[in-house]
């Protein structure tokens, strides 16, 4: 049987384990600091190298996901294809933002939500990631940053916007976040973490069990009929139901809910849509992030013109809704929002299609 992963342990778990092995529990804090703050995985060579501690730690597996591919975009974005122990792969992206990087983490292998604009959605759900695999992605990306971009290697912020619907894997994502927030460990602040959801109501209703991280809702349309097309999950939990549930989450004083809005030409980018969106969000602590659609091979949707993006933004702002336009990062390596998918499979699918087309000629 495989050893238990060290990264699946909370500080409390490690203390209990030490107690059972006659090690003073305060040593657990030293170990957490060594691993998570100093990224020192070679603990045999550290101050706490005593036979009792090393024996107690010897039962754990310290291995991290393997980088099997690394792609660097012109704008400084780096996308990793990471292999888990069972051979399944997910993508993790490091995105430069001003003075520090943000890591975009995956929460599942594939995704069950089947959003029509998303590469990942076409893959279906293979399995949930475990807390240690979520933390593993972070540690691998941070280690890479320290080695390759030392000038900007301060511990990166986190967005759960990679593969998967994080609230569909609530327990493991919550556990990973709890470990990431541990003061003696990574010591991230809840506001350094953003959870993005397509509107998975059973998860939204459990958000009060979690630390007050930032929440982002992928809204993409103020109209249920259009949102049904973009996010099939909307047929189960429509806009009003999801907004009502989000409204019940207590927000901190200067905390907002981020509403992600993918702008797609001739589908959801009219002035009428902007007015409807402003009406929908009136009186809410909301920020809208407009994301001009990134076309990918065979994508059914198109990117709107710069003028129509500006017009949409202006209407929202005139109606008192703070709005930003997200500059897409990593376009040239398909690292932008909704574009993560194991590229081998894309290439495979394209090959099959091309062969089919050839045979039909
Ligand atoms: S956009 Fe997010 S929720 Fe929708 S299919 Fe893609 S990964 Fe899943």
């Amino acid at each position: 049987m495989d050893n238990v992963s060290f990264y699946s342990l909370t500080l409390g778990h490690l203390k209990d384990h030490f107690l059972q092995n006659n090690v003073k529990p305060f040593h657990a804090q030293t170990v957490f600091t060594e691993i998570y703050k100093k990224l020192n995985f070679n603990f045999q060579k550290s101050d706490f190298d005593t036979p009792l501690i090393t024996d107690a730690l010897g039962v754990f597996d310290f291995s991290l996901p393997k980088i099997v591919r690394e792609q660097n975009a012109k704008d400084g974005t780096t996308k990793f294809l990471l292999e888990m122990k069972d051979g399944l792969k997910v993508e993790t992206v490091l995105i430069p933002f001003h003075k520090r990087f943000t890591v975009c983490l995956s929460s599942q292998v594939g995704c069950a939500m089947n959003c029509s604009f998303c590469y990942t959605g076409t893959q279906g759900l293979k399995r949930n990631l475990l807390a240690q695999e979520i933390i593993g992605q972070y540690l691998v990306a941070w280690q890479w940053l320290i080695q390759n971009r030392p000038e900007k290697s301060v511990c990166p912020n986190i967005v759960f916007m990679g593969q998967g619907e994080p609230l569909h894997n609530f327990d493991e994502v919550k556990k990973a976040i709890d470990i990431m927030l541990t003061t003696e460990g990574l010591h991230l602040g809840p506001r350094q973490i953003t959870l993005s959801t397509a509107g998975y109501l059973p998860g939204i209703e459990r958000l009060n069990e979690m630390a007050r991280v930032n929440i982002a809702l992928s809204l993409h349309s103020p109209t249920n009929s259009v949102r049904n097309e973009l996010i099939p999950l909307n047929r189960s939990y429509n806009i009003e139901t999801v907004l009502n549930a989000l409204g019940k989450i207590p927000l901190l004083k200067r905390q907002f809910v981020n509403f992600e809005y993918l702008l797609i030409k001739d589908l959801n980018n009219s002035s009428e849509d902007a007015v409807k969106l402003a009406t929908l969000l009136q009186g809410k602590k909301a920020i809208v992030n407009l994301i001009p659609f990134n076309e990918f091979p065979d994508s059914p949707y198109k990117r709107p013109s710069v003028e129509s993006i500006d017009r949409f933004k202006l209407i929202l702002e005139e109606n008192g809704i703070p709005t930003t336009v997200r500059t897409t990062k990593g376009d040239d390596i398909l690292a932008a929002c909704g574009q993560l998918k194991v590229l081998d499979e894309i290439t495979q699918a394209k090959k099959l299609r091309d062969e089919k087309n050839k045979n039909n000629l």
Side-chain angles (χ1 to χ4, degrees):
M1 209 174 80
D2 282 351
N3 286 359
V4 172
S5 168
F6 177 85
Y7 316 107
S8 69
L9 304 174
T10 62
L11 185 60
H13 288 142
L14 187 60
K15 282 182 178 172
D16 290 346
H17 174 74
F18 275 3
L19 259 177
Q20 284 159 16
N21 288 276
N22 303 318
V23 178
K24 294 212 168 68
F26 74 84
H27 286 301
Q29 292 163 9
T30 324
V31 174
F32 248 57
T33 303
E34 204 69 25
I35 300 284
Y36 286 117
K37 277 199 177 32
K38 302 183 190 165
L39 295 188
N40 173 17
F41 305 106
N42 196 5
F43 54 87
Q44 279 87 353
K45 290 198 183 123
S46 26
D47 298 344
F48 56 92
D49 180 18
T50 68
L52 265 186
I53 297 180
T54 38
D55 280 359
L57 288 174
V59 300
F60 298 121
D61 173 15
F62 286 82
S63 64
L64 290 169
K66 255 193 282 162
I67 299 180
V68 289
R69 188 188 298 135
E70 174 193 319
Q71 290 171 281
N72 294 295
K74 289 185 206 109
D75 62 14
T77 301
T78 299
K79 181 165 76 168
F80 305 102
L81 182 63
L82 298 183
E83 187 177 286
M84 303 295 147
K85 279 180 95 173
D86 60 0
L88 287 176
K89 300 177 187 83
V90 295
E91 285 168 346
T92 305
V93 187
L94 258 178
I95 308 156
F97 268 122
H98 307 292
K99 289 189 181 145
R100 72 198 306 163
F101 275 76
T102 293
V103 189
C104 178
L105 297 177
S106 293
S107 53
Q108 297 178 310
V109 185
C111 184
M113 300 302 145
N114 199 19
C115 301
S116 62
F117 52 86
C118 172
Y119 252 160
T120 308
T122 62
Q123 210 181 353
L125 176 65
K126 294 205 170 127
R127 71 168 171 87
N128 282 332
L129 287 176
L130 297 166
Q132 58 263 36
E133 294 170 320
I134 295 169
I135 292 178
Q137 292 173 66
Y138 184 85
L139 295 178
V140 167
W142 190 23
Q143 223 179 2
W144 184 94
L145 203 56
I146 292 168
Q147 284 157 9
N148 295 279
R149 309 263 191 281
E151 71 290 354
K152 274 196 182 179
S153 61
V154 46
C155 114
N157 291 338
I158 291 174
V159 290
F160 281 90
M161 291 185 184
Q163 294 175 354
E165 159 59 53
L167 296 183
H168 194 216
N169 182 18
F170 190 93
D171 292 323
E172 293 298 315
V173 169
K174 177 188 175 316
K175 186 175 174 193
I177 289 176
D178 286 347
I179 296 171
M180 287 160 171
L181 297 180
T182 306
T183 313
E184 295 79 0
L186 285 171
H187 196 193
L188 289 165
R191 305 293 299 281
Q192 285 180 265
I193 300 176
T194 301
L195 256 180
S196 176
T197 175
Y200 186 68
L201 191 69
I204 295 175
E205 288 178 337
R206 291 184 63 194
L207 277 172
N208 56 359
E209 296 171 30
M210 209 182 263
R212 301 267 174 85
V213 296
N214 298 316
I215 300 299
L217 173 73
S218 301
L219 185 58
H220 305 332
S221 172
T223 320
N224 280 312
S225 55
V226 175
R227 196 166 188 267
N228 285 345
E229 178 194 325
L230 292 169
I231 305 177
L233 181 70
N234 194 70
R235 297 196 186 112
S236 307
Y237 312 118
N238 68 18
I239 297 173
E240 293 70 27
T241 311
V242 169
L243 289 187
N244 184 36
L246 282 176
K248 292 184 183 149
I249 301 168
L251 296 175
L252 300 171
K253 211 169 170 197
R254 268 179 284 160
Q255 196 174 12
F256 290 79
V257 174
N258 291 288
F259 290 89
E260 310 287 317
Y261 196 101
L262 202 56
L263 272 174
I264 300 172
K265 188 179 173 199
D266 299 334
L267 184 76
N268 64 0
N269 69 328
S270 68
S271 302
E272 233 182 20
D273 287 316
V275 173
K276 272 191 200 155
L277 180 60
T279 311
L280 193 68
L281 300 181
Q282 220 42 250
K284 296 190 169 27
K285 288 179 82 181
I287 292 181
V288 172
N289 295 319
L290 298 174
I291 311 157
F293 184 71
N294 253 304
E295 291 175 34
F296 54 80
D298 298 337
S299 67
Y301 302 120
K302 298 278 167 254
R303 190 185 180 96
S305 66
V306 175
E307 295 73 43
S308 84
I309 298 168
D310 290 346
R311 190 196 60 230
F312 202 94
K313 181 173 187 274
L314 191 68
I315 295 174
L316 289 173
E317 286 175 340
E318 281 174 351
N319 283 279
I321 311 288
T323 306
T324 61
V325 178
R326 190 183 299 160
T327 44
T328 40
K329 304 267 187 181
D331 292 23
D332 49 329
I333 55 166
L334 285 183
C337 183
Q339 296 195 334
L340 299 185
K341 183 182 170 188
V342 180
L343 279 171
D344 280 345
E345 295 183 26
I346 297 171
T347 320
Q348 198 62 25
K350 282 186 73 189
K351 240 197 217 155
L352 280 174
R353 186 205 55 200
D354 291 347
E355 268 166 27
K356 230 169 144 190
N357 287 345
K358 223 162 73 193
N359 292 340
N360 287 340
L361 280 179

